[in-house]
Amino acid sequence: MTKTQPPLPSFRGQLTAEWLMVVLISLTLLGIAAGAVSRASGAQTSLAERNMLRMEVEEMGHYADEICVMGSGNARTVALAPVGFALGYNSSSKNLTISRNGWNYARAVLCQIEANATGYVGRAYLRFQRMADAGGTERPAVLIATKP
């Protein structure tokens, strides 16, 4: 006579619940990691844009000084970084100012700058011109425009 063994207890339900917990924990950790990567990427993009703006104001200031020193008839086309920004000139401090998203960078320049416009993207056109001040005296200046 052969003895039959009693059936083994089934653990399938317990294994399924354990795997479900492992999968849920894994998905939660992936979500946390994706959020951290996204924030880091946004911070890196922000830093890159600020550095581009700093380089742009230095480059534009350099070319404006060059045009001012060389005088009448001088002009320059400057290729710009692919971020839009606004330019301004502070006559009391003689600074060319670049701004975007609340970031402002300034650079001292030799001549007066006529550049109170927004939307500089792609190219900027710099040219020498003479401007009359309040007393009627003509002074050298550099016009920075979005169109030639």
Side-chain angles (χ1 to χ4, degrees), residues 3-8:
K3 277 185 159 179
T4 59
Q5 294 185 351
L8 294 172

Side-chain angles (χ1 to χ4, degrees), residues 92-113:
S92 62
S93 63
K94 296 186 178 181
N95 281 338
L96 174 64
T97 305
I98 191 169
S99 58
R100 174 182 163 83
N101 293 339
W103 303 318
N104 297 309
Y105 297 102
R107 182 193 188 278
V109 290
L110 300 174
C111 286
Q112 179 177 343
I113 303 289

Side-chain angles (χ1 to χ4, degrees), residues 57-111:
V57 76
E58 287 298 323
E59 181 181 23
M60 301 265 288
H62 169 76
Y63 289 132
D65 287 347
E66 182 181 283
I67 289 169
C68 181
V69 169
M70 295 179 80
S72 185
N74 281 286
R76 183 107 191 206
T77 301
V78 179
L80 303 174
V83 294
F85 56 85
L87 282 175
Y89 176 71
N90 184 334
S91 58
S92 62
S93 63
K94 296 186 178 181
N95 281 338
L96 174 64
T97 305
I98 191 169
S99 58
R100 174 182 163 83
N101 293 339
W103 303 318
N104 297 309
Y105 297 102
R107 182 193 188 278
V109 290
L110 300 174
C111 286

Side-chain angles (χ1 to χ4, degrees), residues 112 130-140:
Q112 179 177 343
R130 294 206 169 269
M131 294 181 67
D133 63 9
T137 307
E138 283 195 357
R139 304 244 185 247

